[in-house]
Amino acid sequence: MASTAVAEAPRPAGFRFGRAARRYGWTVAVYALLALLMVITIAIKPDYGSFEWNTLTLAALPLAFAAVAQTMVVLSGGIDLSVGPLMALANVLALRAMLGHDLNYSLVVALIVLLEVTLAGALNGAIIVVTRVPDIVITLATSFIWAGLALLVLAKPTPGIPLDFQNLAQGSTFSPWVPNALLVLLVIPLVWIPLRRSRAGLAIYAVGSDRNAAFRSGVNLGWSRLLAYAVCGFFAACGGLALSMTTGVGTPLAGTYYTLSGVSAIVLGGVSLAGGRGGMLGPVAAAYILSLIPAVLIYLGIDPNYGQMIQGVLIVIVVMIGGLGVVLRRA
Amino acid sequence: MSVRVVSAVRLVQQRSIVVLIALLVALAGLIEIIRPGAVNASWVSNILEFAAPLGILAAGQTLVVITGGIDLSVANVATAAAYIMASQAPYGVTRAIVAGLLVGVVVGLVNGVGVAVFRVQPLIMTLAMGLVVTGSLNVYSQAAIRSVPGVPAVIHALGSGTVLGYVPVSLFLWAPLAVLLILGLRGTGFGRLLYALGDNLEATRLAGVRAWQVLLANYAACGLLSAVAGLVLSGTVNAADLSLATVLLLPSVAAVVIGGTSIFGGSGSYSGTIVGALILTVLNSVLTLLDVPDAVKQVLYGAIIVILAAAYTRVLGHD
Amino acid sequence: MSAVPNDTPLADSAALLEASGLVKHFGPVVALRSADLRVRGGEIHALMGANGAGKSTLVKILTGALTADAGTITLGGRNRSFRSTSEARGAGLICVYQDPSLLPDLTVLQNLKLTATPITAFRRYLIELGLGGFDLQTMPRELARPTLSLLDLARALAIEPRLLLLDEITASLPADLTVRVFNVARQVRAEGRSVIFISHRLAEVSALCDRATVLRDGKTVGVVEPAQGGEERIVKLMLGPVADEVAAEAASPSAPATGAVAVEVRDLKAGILTDVTFTLRYGEVLGVAALEGQGQQELFDCLAGVRRSESGQIMVGGKTRTFRHPADAIRAGLVLIPADRLQALLRQRSVRENIALPLVNRISRWGPINTRREKRRVEKAVKRLQIDTRVQSEVRRLSGGNQQKVGIARWLVGGFQTLLCFDPTRGIDIGTKRQIYGLIKELAAGGSAVLLFTSELPEIQLACNRVIVLFGGRLVDEMPAAEADEKALLRAAHGLPAEADAEQEA
C-alpha cells in the first residue's frame, strides 16, 4: 500500500524535544529575558537590594493581574478592552467601603468587591453572547460604562485604604526577598490550575481554538465565552484590589493604562491573540519585565518618560520577530 | 442581472443609513423638546464644528477597519501632530503644518510596515505605536522647554471660524474630503482592494494583488487623516496639549461601528461613519444640555453604543 | 475499486432511525422541503444528492446542530428532537465531518476529555484504523489531515454510537485509508449498529452501502440499492430531468495536442516534490493524477507563485521565471483555481466585484474604475459560464458550483494563458462538474494551456489529453488520456508499473 502522511511509529525523543521547544519555548524565552534584565539591573545598580525588589513586585502586581485577566478572554478567542476600567471600579469600590474600617471588615469588603466585579465581567460576556456584537465593540462601550461608574463612586483620587489591608501586599512577612506582593500572585495558580484541568477550562481553550470544532465537540459556546469573561472580571477585581493594597489610594482614572499594558504583557507573554494558545506563566513574567523597564531607566539616570516609548518599541520588536518568523517560513 | 444585484446591495446600505439619519433627527428632536428653540442654525453650526475633528479622525479609522484592521494610535497621532505643529509655529505656519502632517504619515507608514510586511496584528501594532508616539511626545515636550505652545491663527480659524455667520470653516475641509473618500471607496481600484483585503486577504493575494502595498498606503493615509484631525481639533479648542485628542480614540471606533462598517472588515462606508460621528456629537450635546455630570455621561454614552450596535447587528442579521 | 461485496441487507429489521417530512427554511430559502430517511438497524445507508440538495442540512438536523421547522424524527421507536449536538451524542447519534472537528490547540488527550470519550475504547479503534502506538499528547495542529480524520473517526466510534454519520469523510482520504474506514464501517454494521454514509463518489457508495436515499431540491426522491446496478438510477435521481442530457455527453478522451510549449518545468524541487520535469503545451489539458499528498499541492503552489521552489526551473515562453508572489505568475499568464472555492473568493462582496478583482491588481490600476467597461466584461463572463446570479448579490449566498464558476470567470475577465486547476470540482455536483470540464476543454481548444489535478481518477479521461502521475513527490509516469483509464491510473498512482509495460517497451 502507498505510504501516506500518517506517522504511525512511536516518535523518537528528538521529536518530543522539538515539540516541547515549540510549545514552551516562548515562555522560557520570556523568563530568560526577565532574568537577563535583572542581571543588567544589578550590574547597573550594584546595591540592588530587597527594597528595590519589593518595589518591583509591588509595581508589577496590579499589572500581572491585568495581564492574567486579559489572557483569560484572549484564550477564549475574544478581547476585553474594559479590563482597566474594571480594575479601577474594584479599586474605588474597595476604597469607598473600607474607609476607616479594620482588617476583618476590609476582607469582607474585598470579597464583595470580587463578587461585584466578577459579575460585571460576566455582564460583558453576556452582552457579547446575547447581542452577537463583536467583543471589541462591546468592551469598548462597556469600558465607558465601568469608568463612568468608577467616577460616580469616587470623583477624584482619594487615599484611605486601611493600613492593615495594605500590608497584606506591602510587607514581607516571611523574608525580605519574598515580599507579600509575590505571595499574593498565588491567587492566580489557585484559580487557574483547577480551571485549566476542568472541562470548563478546556472548553474555554476550545472556543478560542476553533469555534466550529468546539461546537461539534459539544461545547456550549455561549457559556464558555461568558465564563471566560467572568473569570476575567474576577482577575480584574484582584488587580483593582492589588492596586488598593499597593498604593493605598482609590484612583477612578487608573483604567486606561492597565488595559493597554495588559495587552502588551500578553503579547510579550506569548499568548496568541487569535485565541486558544498560551498560558498564564508568560504574561506574568511579561508584567514584571514591563514594570522593570522604568526602574532600570531611573537607575541609569534616564528620563522615565522614555519608559512608555521603550515599552512600545519592545512590543513592536517582539511582535515583528514573531511576524518575521512567519515571513521567513513562507519564503 | 448584476445591475439588480448591485442595486439591492445599495438599497440595504441606504436603508441602514436612513435608520441612522432618523436616529440623528430624533436626537435633535429630543433637544428641541427639552429646550424649545435650541435647535437652530447656530446649534447646527456648533455640531458640525465639533463633529469635524471626530469625523476626520474616524475617516482614517474607517479605511483601516474596512481592511479588517483597527488603528488604536489615531488619537496619539492626532495629539502629536497638533503639538508638533504648534511647537513649530514660530518657524512659519507652512513649516508647522507640514511638520504636523509628516508625523501622521511617518507613524502611519511604520504601522503599515508592521501590519503589512511583518504581519503583526493591527491591534497590537497600533497599540504599541501609540505608546511609542506618546512616549516620544513626552520626551519631546520636555526637550522643547517652551511652555504649552499656542496655536497659529490660521489653524484656529480652520478649527473654529465660520463663514456667513453659520458655516464652519472646517466644513470646507471636511466636506470635500468626505466626497473624495466616499467616491474613492466605491469607484476606484484602491477602494475595491480595501474591501477585498478586509474580506479575504489570501484570495486577494491569489488574484495577483500585492497586499502589502495596499496596506502600507492605507495605514499611511490613516495616519495622514489622523494628523489632519489633530490640527483641526487644536484649532477648535485653540490649544495643543499632551492629551488633546485622547478622548477621541474610543469615539473614533464607535463612529465607525455605529456607521455600519463591519469590525471584521470587508464592508462598510464612510457615509455611515459621518452619520455615526454626528450622532455621537449630538448625543454629547443632549447630555450636556441635560446637565448630566461627566461620569453619568460616560455611562450613558457607553450604554447607547451597546444598544445601537446590538440593534444594528439584529437589524442587518449578520451571522 | 474493490469488488462489490455481497452482503445483502438484513431482511426486515426494524427501523433504527426514521425521519419523515423534515422541513427547514433559512429566511426565504428552503433548504429542506420534505426529507424522509429510514435507516435500519445494522445497515450502511448512503445519503446522496447533488450540491444544495439538502444533505448537510439533513445531517445537521439529525445531529442536533439545527432544529427542523416541521417533521418528526424517531430513534429506536421513540420520538426525538435534539436541541444540541451533545444531546444527539447522548442518544448515540454522532457525525464525523469532512473537516475534522478535533480542536487544533488541545492535545488529543484533552480533546477526548472535552468530549468525555472513553480512552481505552478510543485506543482500540485507533489500532483498528492502523494508528496503534499513537501519542495522545500530540496536538492536532501538528498532524496531517488524513490522520486527523482517522482520529476523529476513532473518537466517534469510541462512544459506540447506535448511528454513525460519515459526512464526506473519504473526500480527504487517500485510497489506502479509505479502505480502513470501510472495514471499520462494515464492522459497525456487523455489530448490528448503523452507518449513514455521505459521499460524492458513486464507486464508494456501491462498494460499501446497502441502500441509498437520494435527495433532490430538499426532497427525498427515492431509495435505491446501489450494489445491484443501482448506480445509474442514483445518478438519474440526483440529476432529475437533466440526467439524460448528461448521459448523452459520453466521455471521449481527447488526442494529445501539438501546440507550442506554454510552460516547461525542469527538475523542480519543493518540499516532497523532487526533480519533476514536464512540458505543458498550448491547446492541451494536462492531467495530474496522484493520491493525497504526493507533491501535487507543492507543484501547483510553485507554478502559481504561492510558494517558492527550492531548486529547478519554471520556463514560460522559453524564458526562465522566478515567481515570488502570485502576481508574478499571473503576469506570466499562469493563474490558479484552488480546490477550496472560498479560498479564492470574497464572500461578502458582489459577484461583480469578485470577477473584476484581477482588473485592479496593480498599483497602476488603483485609480478610478471605468464602471461601464467593467460591467460589460463581467457580464460577458457571467453569460459564458452560465453563472446563476439570481440568488443574491453576495458570493456567499451562491451554491458551491456557482462559486467555483465565479472563480473561473474572474480569469476569463482578467486574462491568462495557462490555467492551473487544482481539484476544481471537489464537492461539486455532477451537472456542474460536467459544465466545468466542458469549459476547460473549450478553453484548451481556444489555445490556452490547462494543468488539471483532480482527486477523482475516473474524471481524468473526461477532460485531459495527457496525464502525468506523481508518486512520492516524483513524476513516475506519463500517458495519453486514451490509456489513462481508472485502473491504469490507480496502479501508477500507487507507484506500480503498468501491467504490460515491460513487453510493450521491449
Side-chain angles (χ1 to χ4, degrees), chain A residues 1-8 10-11 16 19 22-23 196-197 199 202-203 205-206 209-210 212-219 275-277 330-331, chain C residues 65 85-86 97 99 101-107 110 113-115 130-132 135 137-139 141-144 147 155 174 176-177 180 291 494:
Chain A
M1 266 285 119
S3 75
T4 62
V6 186
E8 298 172 11
R11 277 142 185 144
R16 279 169 203 272
R19 187 167 80 190
R22 254 201 317 282
R23 278 187 206 169
R196 181 169 182 160
R197 302 224 165 128
R199 259 202 84 191
L202 286 179
Y205 271 93
S209 178
D210 181 340
N212 194 19
F215 176 70
R216 287 178 185 169
S217 298
V219 171
R277 270 188 283 178
R330 282 177 29 80
Chain C
T85 44
S86 40
Y97 295 91
D99 46 330
S101 14
L102 289 161
L103 288 148
D105 297 311
L106 298 181
T107 63
Q110 285 172 328
K113 192 173 168 189
L114 187 69
T115 47
L131 283 176
D135 179 5
Q137 292 298 334
T138 318
M139 282 203 187
R141 185 175 287 286
E142 299 157 355
L143 296 171
T147 318
R155 183 172 68 163
D176 55 333
L177 296 186
R180 293 189 202 165
L291 302 175
H494 282 95

Coordinates of all heavy atoms in Angstrom, one line a residue, chain A residues 1-8 10-11 16 19 22-23 196-197 199 202-203 205-206 209-210 212-219 275-277 330-331, chain C residues 65 85-86 97 99 101-107 110 113-115 130-132 135 137-139 141-144 147 155 174 176-177 180 291 494:
Chain A
M1 N 0.8 -1.2 0.0 CA 0.0 0.0 0.0 C 0.9 1.3 0.0 O 2.0 1.3 0.4 CB -0.9 0.0 1.3 CG -2.2 -0.6 1.1 SD -3.3 0.5 0.2 CE -3.7 -0.5 -1.3
A2 N 0.3 2.3 -0.5 CA 1.0 3.5 -0.5 C 1.3 4.1 0.9 O 0.4 3.9 1.7 CB 0.2 4.6 -1.3
S3 N 2.4 4.6 1.1 CA 2.7 5.3 2.3 C 2.0 6.6 2.3 O 1.9 7.2 1.3 CB 4.2 5.5 2.5 OG 4.6 6.5 1.7
T4 N 1.5 7.0 3.4 CA 0.8 8.3 3.5 C 1.5 9.2 4.5 O 2.5 8.8 5.1 CB -0.7 8.1 3.8 OG1 -0.7 7.6 5.1 CG2 -1.4 7.2 2.9
A5 N 0.9 10.3 4.7 CA 1.4 11.3 5.6 C 1.2 10.8 7.1 O 1.6 11.5 8.0 CB 0.8 12.7 5.4
V6 N 0.5 9.7 7.2 CA 0.2 9.3 8.6 C 1.5 8.7 9.3 O 2.1 7.7 8.8 CB -0.9 8.2 8.6 CG1 -1.3 7.8 10.0 CG2 -2.0 8.7 7.8
A7 N 1.9 9.3 10.4 CA 3.0 8.7 11.1 C 2.5 7.8 12.1 O 1.7 8.2 13.0 CB 3.8 9.9 11.7
E8 N 2.9 6.6 12.1 CA 2.3 5.6 13.0 C 3.3 5.1 14.1 O 2.9 4.8 15.2 CB 1.9 4.4 12.2 CG 0.8 4.8 11.2 CD 0.4 3.7 10.2 OE1 0.8 2.6 10.5 OE2 -0.3 4.0 9.3
P10 N 5.9 5.1 17.1 CA 6.2 6.0 18.2 C 7.4 6.9 17.8 O 8.3 6.5 17.2 CB 6.6 5.0 19.3 CG 6.1 3.7 19.0 CD 6.0 3.7 17.5
R11 N 7.3 8.1 18.2 CA 8.3 9.1 17.8 C 9.5 9.0 18.6 O 9.5 8.7 19.8 CB 7.7 10.5 17.8 CG 6.9 10.7 16.6 CD 5.7 11.5 16.9 NE 4.9 11.6 15.7 CZ 3.6 11.6 15.7 NH1 3.0 11.5 16.9 NH2 3.0 11.7 14.6
R16 N 10.1 14.8 20.5 CA 9.4 15.3 21.7 C 10.1 16.6 22.2 O 9.4 17.5 22.6 CB 9.4 14.3 22.8 CG 8.4 13.2 22.6 CD 8.6 12.1 23.6 NE 8.0 10.9 23.1 CZ 6.7 10.6 23.4 NH1 6.0 11.4 24.2 NH2 6.1 9.5 22.9
R19 N 9.0 19.3 20.1 CA 7.6 19.7 20.4 C 7.6 20.5 21.7 O 6.9 21.6 21.7 CB 6.8 18.4 20.6 CG 5.4 18.6 20.8 CD 4.6 17.4 20.7 NE 4.7 16.6 21.9 CZ 4.3 15.4 22.1 NH1 3.8 14.7 21.0 NH2 4.3 14.8 23.2
R22 N 8.7 23.9 20.8 CA 7.6 24.7 20.1 C 6.6 25.2 21.1 O 6.1 26.3 21.0 CB 7.0 23.8 19.1 CG 7.4 24.2 17.7 CD 6.4 23.7 16.6 NE 5.9 22.3 16.8 CZ 6.6 21.2 16.5 NH1 7.9 21.3 16.0 NH2 6.1 20.0 16.7
R23 N 6.2 24.3 22.1 CA 5.1 24.6 22.9 C 5.5 25.6 24.0 O 4.8 26.5 24.4 CB 4.5 23.4 23.6 CG 3.6 22.7 22.6 CD 2.9 21.5 23.3 NE 2.5 20.5 22.3 CZ 2.0 19.3 22.7 NH1 1.9 19.0 23.9 NH2 1.7 18.5 21.7
R196 N -8.0 25.1 34.5 CA -7.4 24.6 33.3 C -7.5 23.1 33.2 O -7.6 22.6 32.1 CB -5.9 25.0 33.4 CG -5.2 24.6 32.2 CD -4.0 24.9 31.7 NE -4.0 24.1 30.5 CZ -3.3 24.3 29.5 NH1 -2.3 25.2 29.5 NH2 -3.4 23.6 28.4
R197 N -7.6 22.5 34.3 CA -7.7 21.0 34.2 C -9.2 20.6 34.1 O -9.4 19.4 33.8 CB -7.2 20.4 35.5 CG -5.7 20.8 35.8 CD -4.9 19.6 36.2 NE -3.5 19.9 36.1 CZ -2.6 19.7 37.0 NH1 -3.0 19.2 38.2 NH2 -1.4 20.0 36.8
R199 N -13.2 20.5 32.6 CA -13.8 20.5 31.3 C -14.1 21.9 30.9 O -14.0 22.3 29.7 CB -15.0 19.7 31.3 CG -14.8 18.3 30.7 CD -16.2 17.7 30.2 NE -16.5 18.3 28.9 CZ -17.7 18.1 28.3 NH1 -18.6 17.5 28.9 NH2 -17.9 18.6 27.1
L202 N -11.0 23.5 29.6 CA -10.7 23.0 28.2 C -11.7 23.7 27.2 O -11.3 24.0 26.1 CB -10.9 21.5 28.2 CG -9.8 20.7 28.9 CD1 -10.1 19.2 28.8 CD2 -8.4 21.0 28.3
A203 N -12.9 23.8 27.6 CA -13.9 24.4 26.7 C -13.5 25.8 26.4 O -13.7 26.3 25.2 CB -15.3 24.4 27.4
Y205 N -10.5 27.1 26.1 CA -9.4 26.9 25.1 C -10.1 26.5 23.8 O -9.7 27.0 22.7 CB -8.4 25.8 25.5 CG -7.2 26.3 26.3 CD1 -7.3 26.3 27.7 CD2 -6.1 26.8 25.6 CE1 -6.2 26.8 28.4 CE2 -5.0 27.3 26.4 CZ -5.1 27.3 27.8 OH -4.0 27.7 28.5
A206 N -11.0 25.6 23.9 CA -11.6 25.0 22.7 C -12.3 26.1 21.9 O -12.2 26.2 20.6 CB -12.6 23.9 23.0
S209 N -9.9 28.2 20.1 CA -9.0 27.5 19.2 C -9.8 27.3 17.8 O -9.2 27.6 16.8 CB -8.7 26.1 19.7 OG -7.9 25.4 18.8
D210 N -11.0 26.9 17.9 CA -11.8 26.6 16.7 C -13.2 26.5 17.1 O -13.6 25.5 17.6 CB -11.3 25.4 16.0 CG -12.0 25.1 14.7 OD1 -13.1 25.6 14.5 OD2 -11.5 24.3 13.9
N212 N -16.0 26.3 15.4 CA -16.9 25.3 14.8 C -16.6 23.9 15.4 O -17.5 23.1 15.7 CB -16.5 25.3 13.3 CG -17.6 24.5 12.5 OD1 -18.7 24.3 13.0 ND2 -17.2 24.2 11.3
A213 N -15.3 23.6 15.5 CA -14.9 22.2 16.0 C -15.4 22.1 17.5 O -15.8 21.1 18.0 CB -13.4 22.0 15.9
A214 N -15.3 23.3 18.2 CA -15.8 23.3 19.6 C -17.3 23.0 19.7 O -17.7 22.2 20.5 CB -15.5 24.6 20.3
F215 N -18.0 23.6 18.8 CA -19.4 23.4 18.8 C -19.7 21.9 18.5 O -20.6 21.3 19.2 CB -20.1 24.2 17.7 CG -21.6 24.0 17.5 CD1 -22.4 24.4 18.5 CD2 -22.0 23.4 16.4 CE1 -23.8 24.2 18.3 CE2 -23.4 23.2 16.2 CZ -24.3 23.6 17.2
R216 N -19.0 21.3 17.5 CA -19.2 19.9 17.2 C -18.8 19.0 18.3 O -19.3 17.9 18.4 CB -18.5 19.6 15.9 CG -19.1 20.1 14.7 CD -18.2 19.8 13.5 NE -18.7 20.4 12.3 CZ -17.9 20.3 11.2 NH1 -16.8 19.7 11.2 NH2 -18.4 20.9 10.1
S217 N -17.9 19.5 19.1 CA -17.4 18.6 20.2 C -18.4 18.8 21.4 O -18.1 18.3 22.5 CB -16.0 19.0 20.7 OG -15.1 18.8 19.6
G218 N -19.5 19.5 21.2 CA -20.5 19.6 22.3 C -20.2 20.6 23.3 O -20.8 20.6 24.4
V219 N -19.3 21.6 22.9 CA -19.0 22.7 23.9 C -20.2 23.7 23.7 O -20.6 24.1 22.6 CB -17.7 23.3 23.5 CG1 -17.5 24.6 24.3 CG2 -16.6 22.3 23.8
G275 N -6.4 33.4 19.8 CA -7.1 32.6 20.8 C -6.6 31.1 20.8 O -6.0 30.6 19.9
G276 N -6.9 30.5 22.0 CA -6.6 29.1 22.1 C -5.2 28.7 22.4 O -5.0 27.5 22.7
R277 N -4.3 29.6 22.3 CA -2.9 29.2 22.6 C -2.2 30.2 23.6 O -2.3 31.4 23.5 CB -2.1 29.3 21.3 CG -2.1 27.9 20.6 CD -1.2 27.9 19.4 NE -1.7 28.6 18.3 CZ -1.1 28.8 17.2 NH1 0.1 28.4 17.0 NH2 -1.7 29.5 16.2
R330 N 7.5 31.4 5.0 CA 6.8 31.4 3.7 C 7.8 31.3 2.5 O 7.5 30.8 1.5 CB 5.9 32.6 3.6 CG 4.6 32.5 4.3 CD 3.9 33.8 4.2 NE 4.3 34.5 2.9 CZ 3.7 34.1 1.8 NH1 2.8 33.2 1.7 NH2 4.1 34.8 0.7
A331 N 8.9 32.0 2.8 CA 9.9 32.2 1.7 C 10.5 30.9 1.3 O 10.5 29.9 2.0 CB 11.0 33.2 2.1
Chain C
A65 N -27.5 19.9 15.4 CA -26.8 21.2 15.2 C -27.9 22.2 14.7 O -27.7 23.4 14.8 CB -25.7 21.1 14.2
T85 N -25.8 19.2 19.8 CA -25.0 18.0 19.3 C -24.8 17.1 20.5 O -24.7 15.9 20.3 CB -23.7 18.5 18.7 OG1 -23.1 19.4 19.6 CG2 -23.9 19.0 17.3
S86 N -24.6 17.6 21.7 CA -24.3 16.7 22.8 C -25.5 15.9 23.2 O -25.3 14.8 23.6 CB -23.7 17.5 24.0 OG -24.4 18.7 24.2
Y97 N -17.2 14.7 10.3 CA -17.3 15.5 9.1 C -16.1 15.5 8.3 O -15.0 15.0 8.7 CB -17.5 17.0 9.6 CG -18.8 17.2 10.3 CD1 -18.9 17.1 11.7 CD2 -19.9 17.6 9.6 CE1 -20.1 17.3 12.3 CE2 -21.1 17.8 10.2 CZ -21.2 17.7 11.6 OH -22.4 17.9 12.2
D99 N -14.2 18.0 7.3 CA -13.1 18.7 8.0 C -13.2 18.3 9.5 O -14.2 18.5 10.2 CB -13.2 20.2 7.9 CG -14.6 20.7 8.1 OD1 -15.6 19.9 7.8 OD2 -14.8 21.8 8.6
S101 N -13.2 17.6 13.4 CA -13.6 18.6 14.4 C -12.8 18.4 15.7 O -13.2 18.7 16.8 CB -15.1 18.4 14.8 OG -15.6 17.3 14.2
L102 N -11.5 18.0 15.6 CA -10.6 18.0 16.7 C -10.1 19.4 16.9 O -9.8 20.1 15.9 CB -9.4 17.1 16.5 CG -9.8 15.6 16.5 CD1 -8.7 14.8 15.8 CD2 -9.9 15.1 18.0
L103 N -10.0 19.9 18.1 CA -9.5 21.2 18.4 C -8.0 21.3 18.2 O -7.3 20.5 18.8 CB -9.9 21.7 19.8 CG -11.4 21.9 19.7 CD1 -12.1 21.6 21.0 CD2 -11.7 23.3 19.2
P104 N -7.5 22.2 17.3 CA -6.1 22.2 17.0 C -5.2 22.5 18.1 O -4.0 22.0 18.1 CB -6.0 23.2 15.9 CG -7.3 24.0 16.0 CD -8.3 23.1 16.5
D105 N -5.7 23.2 19.1 CA -4.7 23.6 20.2 C -4.9 22.9 21.5 O -4.2 23.2 22.5 CB -4.9 25.1 20.4 CG -4.6 26.0 19.2 OD1 -3.5 25.7 18.7 OD2 -5.4 26.8 18.8
L106 N -5.7 21.8 21.5 CA -5.7 21.0 22.7 C -5.1 19.7 22.3 O -5.1 19.3 21.1 CB -7.2 20.7 23.1 CG -8.1 21.9 23.5 CD1 -9.4 21.4 23.9 CD2 -7.4 22.6 24.7
T107 N -4.4 19.0 23.2 CA -3.8 17.7 22.8 C -4.9 16.8 22.5 O -6.1 17.0 22.9 CB -2.9 17.2 24.0 OG1 -3.8 16.9 25.1 CG2 -1.8 18.1 24.4
Q110 N -6.6 15.8 25.6 CA -7.6 16.9 26.1 C -8.8 16.9 25.2 O -9.9 17.1 25.8 CB -6.9 18.2 26.1 CG -5.9 18.4 27.2 CD -5.1 19.7 27.1 OE1 -4.8 20.1 26.0 NE2 -4.7 20.3 28.2
K113 N -11.0 14.3 26.5 CA -11.6 14.7 27.8 C -12.7 15.7 27.6 O -13.8 15.6 28.2 CB -10.5 15.3 28.7 CG -10.9 15.5 30.1 CD -9.7 16.0 30.9 CE -10.2 16.5 32.3 NZ -9.1 17.1 33.0
L114 N -12.5 16.6 26.7 CA -13.5 17.6 26.4 C -14.9 16.9 26.0 O -15.9 17.4 26.3 CB -13.0 18.5 25.3 CG -13.9 19.7 24.9 CD1 -13.9 20.7 26.1 CD2 -13.4 20.4 23.7
T115 N -14.7 15.8 25.2 CA -15.9 15.2 24.7 C -16.3 14.0 25.5 O -17.2 13.2 25.1 CB -15.7 14.7 23.2 OG1 -14.5 14.1 23.2 CG2 -15.7 15.9 22.3
G130 N -5.3 1.4 12.2 CA -3.9 1.4 11.8 C -3.1 2.5 12.5 O -2.0 2.9 11.9
L131 N -3.6 3.0 13.6 CA -2.8 4.1 14.2 C -2.4 3.6 15.7 O -2.3 4.4 16.6 CB -3.7 5.3 14.3 CG -3.8 6.2 13.1 CD1 -4.8 7.3 13.4 CD2 -2.5 6.7 12.6
G132 N -2.1 2.3 15.8 CA -1.6 1.9 17.1 C -0.4 2.6 17.5 O 0.4 3.0 16.7
D135 N 0.7 8.8 19.9 CA 1.0 9.5 21.1 C -0.2 10.5 21.4 O -0.4 11.5 20.6 CB 2.3 10.3 20.9 CG 2.7 11.1 22.1 OD1 1.9 11.0 23.1 OD2 3.7 11.8 22.0
Q137 N -0.4 12.8 23.4 CA 0.0 14.2 23.8 C 0.2 15.1 22.6 O 0.5 16.2 22.7 CB 1.3 14.1 24.6 CG 1.1 13.5 26.0 CD 0.1 14.3 26.9 OE1 -0.1 15.4 26.7 NE2 -0.6 13.5 27.8
T138 N 0.0 14.5 21.4 CA 0.2 15.3 20.2 C -0.9 16.3 20.1 O -2.0 16.1 20.5 CB 0.2 14.4 19.0 OG1 0.9 13.2 19.3 CG2 0.8 15.1 17.8
M139 N -0.6 17.5 19.5 CA -1.6 18.4 19.2 C -2.1 18.3 17.8 O -1.2 18.2 16.9 CB -1.1 19.8 19.4 CG -1.0 20.2 20.9 SD -1.1 22.0 21.1 CE -0.8 22.1 22.8
R141 N -2.9 20.3 15.7 CA -2.3 21.3 14.8 C -1.0 20.8 14.1 O -0.7 21.2 13.0 CB -1.9 22.5 15.7 CG -1.3 23.7 14.9 CD -1.1 24.9 15.8 NE -2.3 25.6 16.2 CZ -3.1 26.3 15.5 NH1 -2.8 26.5 14.2 NH2 -4.2 26.9 15.9
E142 N -0.4 19.8 14.8 CA 0.9 19.3 14.2 C 0.7 18.1 13.3 O 1.6 17.5 12.8 CB 1.8 18.8 15.4 CG 2.2 20.0 16.3 CD 2.5 19.5 17.7 OE1 2.4 18.3 18.0 OE2 2.9 20.4 18.5
L143 N -0.6 17.7 13.1 CA -0.9 16.5 12.3 C -1.4 16.8 10.9 O -2.0 17.8 10.6 CB -1.9 15.6 13.1 CG -1.4 15.1 14.4 CD1 -2.6 14.5 15.2 CD2 -0.3 14.1 14.3
A144 N -1.2 15.8 10.0 CA -1.7 15.9 8.7 C -3.2 15.6 8.7 O -3.7 14.9 9.6 CB -1.0 14.9 7.8
T147 N -4.7 11.9 9.0 CA -4.6 11.4 10.3 C -5.7 12.0 11.2 O -6.3 11.3 12.0 CB -3.2 11.8 10.9 OG1 -2.2 11.7 10.0 CG2 -2.9 11.0 12.2
R155 N -12.6 8.6 17.6 CA -13.3 9.3 18.7 C -14.8 9.0 18.7 O -15.4 8.8 19.7 CB -13.0 10.8 18.7 CG -13.6 11.5 19.9 CD -13.1 12.9 20.0 NE -13.6 13.7 18.9 CZ -13.6 15.0 18.9 NH1 -13.1 15.7 20.0 NH2 -14.1 15.7 17.9
P174 N -6.6 9.4 1.3 CA -6.1 8.6 0.2 C -6.7 7.2 0.2 O -7.3 6.8 1.2 CB -4.6 8.5 0.6 CG -4.5 8.7 2.0 CD -5.7 9.6 2.4
D176 N -5.8 4.1 0.4 CA -5.5 3.1 1.4 C -6.2 3.3 2.7 O -6.7 2.4 3.4 CB -4.0 2.9 1.6 CG -3.3 4.2 2.0 OD1 -3.9 5.3 1.6 OD2 -2.3 4.2 2.7
L177 N -6.3 4.6 3.1 CA -7.0 4.9 4.4 C -8.5 4.7 4.2 O -9.2 4.4 5.1 CB -6.7 6.3 4.8 CG -5.2 6.5 5.2 CD1 -5.0 7.9 5.8 CD2 -4.7 5.4 6.2
R180 N -9.5 1.3 5.1 CA -9.5 1.1 6.5 C -10.9 1.6 7.1 O -11.5 1.0 7.9 CB -8.4 1.8 7.2 CG -7.0 1.3 6.9 CD -6.0 1.9 7.8 NE -4.7 1.8 7.3 CZ -3.7 2.5 7.7 NH1 -3.8 3.4 8.7 NH2 -2.5 2.4 7.1
L291 N -2.3 10.3 -5.6 CA -3.1 10.1 -4.3 C -2.8 11.4 -3.5 O -2.0 12.3 -3.8 CB -2.5 8.9 -3.6 CG -2.6 7.6 -4.4 CD1 -1.9 6.5 -3.6 CD2 -4.1 7.2 -4.6
H494 N -0.2 4.4 -7.3 CA 0.4 3.7 -6.2 C 1.8 3.3 -6.4 O 2.4 2.6 -5.6 CB -0.4 2.5 -5.9 CG -1.7 2.8 -5.2 ND1 -2.9 3.0 -5.8 CD2 -2.0 3.0 -3.9 CE1 -3.8 3.2 -5.0 NE2 -3.3 3.3 -3.8

